[in-house]
Amino acid sequence: TRVVALRASLPERFYRCPAGDPARLARDLAEALRRAWTRFCEGAPPRPQPAPPSLPRDDERDFLSLADGTEVAVPRALENATAYVLREQGDWFEEELPFVRRLLRPGERVIDGGAGDGVDALVAARLVGEAGRAWAFEPGPRTATFLRAGAARNGLGNLAVVEAALSNRSGEATLHTTGGSELATLTSNPSAAGAVSDRVRVLSLDAIAAEADLRAIDFFKIDTDGEEVRIVDGGARFFAEESPLVMTGLRHGGVVSEGLFEAFRALGYAPYRLVPGPSVLAPIADPAALDPFQRNAFFCKPDRAASLEARGLLALSAGTVGAPPRGLWRQALGRLASTATLLPHWRGAGRAPGFDAHEGALDRFLAATDCALPAAVRVAWLEQALALSTEAVAARPTLSRRMNAARIASALGMRARAVAVLDALLDLFGRGAALDLDEPFVPPCPRFDGVPTGGNPGAWCLAAVVEQHERLRALSSFYTGRSAESALDALARVGFLGEEMARRRATIRARFGGGLLTLAQRPM
């Protein structure tokens, strides 16, 4: 029986191994010959090259699906950040990924510098298709094998995996890895406590660009945990000649990388950030005022900005923006499963102090959800909504007004501000504050737009606050441990535990409590 099973699995095993991927085999051979020729020209003695690592064994890895069906090869251990997050959320945790899915089109060319297990690289390669090309730079030998396994699983012959790090020089360095590819750093230090260390190849972008045919690049993602500025320095000619949209990691050790904005500005690239509500880019006026949760920034030249604006993906200046129709909220909230039953409670709204600002904020927030409007108008209305919401809360700090404030701040990408409002709401609920039903509001958690109150608006509001607080206070429970378990248990008791939070609770228990993932949460 084992022989029969082994024979049946041989074709798939062959196509996953290096010999079954002629394009990859040719690239690896060409790279090995190129390195040997370079050493010969430099007068260096021949150096035996280690055999390339094989793909991870079936008992070492799982394939986990993202929201768009892309399958990512990850280690089985939940101590690996990528494996944990994908099991917990069914997708990657960065808000920029849905934007990238809107951005990329067939035939485009993309680079992922610091690809890790390949979440972004695999998604990008699928989106640009056979007519496009994608390059993934990943220096970690073991991580690169998982990335290649993901490429083979998704049939991505257009994705070239380059086992090297990008920096401002060519040579070698030490890669320290703790907790998976997302927690890898490149240093000259040969060892670090508690880390797996590998000597890896380092390349400058300008040195490799012509050789690797890195031209006409549409999108360039850089996520290298501290190497971003050096990569820009080592690619000055590339960035001057090319005009991609660049998405780069913003912080190293929680601090904005010094010199990042200056390095891009010197090359003619202006900074932008994602506004997650409408999923569009908006200019960064003051890098020092960025939200503490902001992990990535975007940079591009004016020509790329103009093309993205024409596609509705970037907001430049809206000029003078008028107000949407007053009382728009009555129709908009009447269409939601969550708030339709609350409309009778709001018929007499309008007499409390600050209601005009409260209504104006709600109207603008709801109007900004119209995808047919120009991106600049939608962002401008969200900014106006935040200002009016702040004014309304100052006049009358009710639960309903604070829930609006949390939702608006989150839509604008002001995550820390939203968490602060949610903290205050949890404190009020904890002290038994009554829910005000005399004024309209939207639930602070978008999922609850489609969740009926079930005849218990108080419990429904509390559940919406708890879930959104759990979503926003940390990127993943990988970093917070079991601290969310009691809150998730409470959601289950009141009957408002959604699929995502159920996955989160199961993953927490699987890692920290020895529990098992249910069949619905196990990888395919």
Side-chain angles (χ1 to χ4, degrees), residues 100-158:
V100 171
R101 289 179 175 132
R102 294 179 60 214
L103 169 75
L104 296 178
R105 298 176 293 187
E108 293 188 327
R109 296 160 69 90
V110 301
I111 300 173
D112 188 345
D117 294 310
V119 171
D120 296 284
L122 297 173
V123 168
R126 288 188 72 199
L127 289 170
V128 302
E130 294 182 2
R133 290 194 65 185
W135 292 263
F137 288 82
E138 172 47 50
R142 179 170 170 80
T143 303
T145 65
F146 280 89
L147 177 53
R148 291 190 181 102
R153 179 78 164 199
N154 291 280
L156 299 174
N158 63 337

Side-chain angles (χ1 to χ4, degrees), residues 183-483:
L183 303 174
T185 56
L186 192 69
T187 72
S188 57
N189 182 14
S191 65
V196 177
S197 299
D198 293 292
R199 291 296 287 176
V200 298
R201 193 162 58 115
V202 177
L203 300 169
S204 75
L205 192 55
D206 284 344
I208 194 67
E211 180 182 321
D213 192 30
L214 304 181
R215 55 181 177 78
I217 302 300
D218 297 283
F219 180 62
F220 194 153
K221 193 213 85 175
I222 307 173
D223 185 6
T224 50
D225 201 16
E227 285 294 307
E228 288 81 5
V229 175
R230 284 187 280 272
I231 289 174
V232 177
D233 290 343
R237 185 173 66 249
F238 168 88
F239 286 111
E241 294 174 355
E242 297 287 330
S243 186
L245 173 67
V246 182
M247 184 182 99
T248 177
L250 188 59
R251 302 177 190 275
H252 179 53
V255 179
V256 174
S257 297
E258 184 178 353
L260 183 65
F261 287 83
E262 292 77 5
F264 273 110
R265 282 198 182 99
L267 294 167
Y269 287 70
Y272 298 85
R273 69 176 184 90
L274 179 71
V275 181
S279 192
V280 300
L281 303 183
I284 296 175
D286 181 8
L290 283 170
D291 185 84
F293 283 92
Q294 190 84 37
R295 298 184 78 244
N296 299 292
F298 291 81
F299 296 88
C300 67
K301 294 178 180 178
D303 62 311
R304 180 68 64 173
S307 67
L308 293 174
E309 183 183 34
R311 293 177 57 194
L313 298 175
L314 185 144
L316 289 176
S317 174
T320 303
V321 178
R326 183 168 182 174
L328 173 70
W329 61 266
R330 298 180 187 276
Q331 293 77 35
L333 297 186
R335 291 192 293 267
L336 297 182
S338 57
T339 52
T341 58
L342 297 175
L343 282 176
H345 296 283
W346 299 334
R347 286 177 184 154
R351 294 186 294 271
F355 180 80
D356 286 347
H358 175 68
E359 181 179 50
L362 193 53
D363 285 341
R364 285 164 175 78
F365 168 75
L366 293 167
T369 62
D370 186 350
C371 298
L373 291 171
V377 173
R378 299 176 70 190
V379 173
W381 272 344
L382 282 176
E383 290 172 342
Q384 291 176 16
L386 185 66
L388 289 168
S389 176
T390 303
E391 179 184 337
V393 171
R396 187 175 181 237
T398 61
L399 289 172
S400 57
R401 294 187 184 191
R402 289 184 179 187
M403 285 191 287
N404 283 346
R407 180 73 176 269
I408 294 167
S410 176
L412 268 171
M414 297 182 177
R415 190 167 181 159
R417 185 165 178 169
V419 170
V421 176
L422 293 167
D423 282 335
L425 283 167
L426 288 174
D427 180 63
L428 288 172
F429 274 112
R431 290 192 278 113
L435 177 67
D436 299 295
L437 294 177
D438 59 336
E439 290 185 336
F441 61 87
V442 285
C445 179
R447 184 181 76 85
F448 278 72
D449 287 347
V451 177
T453 62
N456 191 346
W460 175 85
C461 286
L462 174 59
V465 170
V466 170
E467 179 166 327
Q468 188 70 346
H469 185 263
E470 178 60 23
R471 288 174 186 272
L472 298 184
R473 73 185 181 104
L475 296 170
S476 164
S477 60
F478 180 84
Y479 305 104
T480 57
R482 305 193 67 157
S483 62

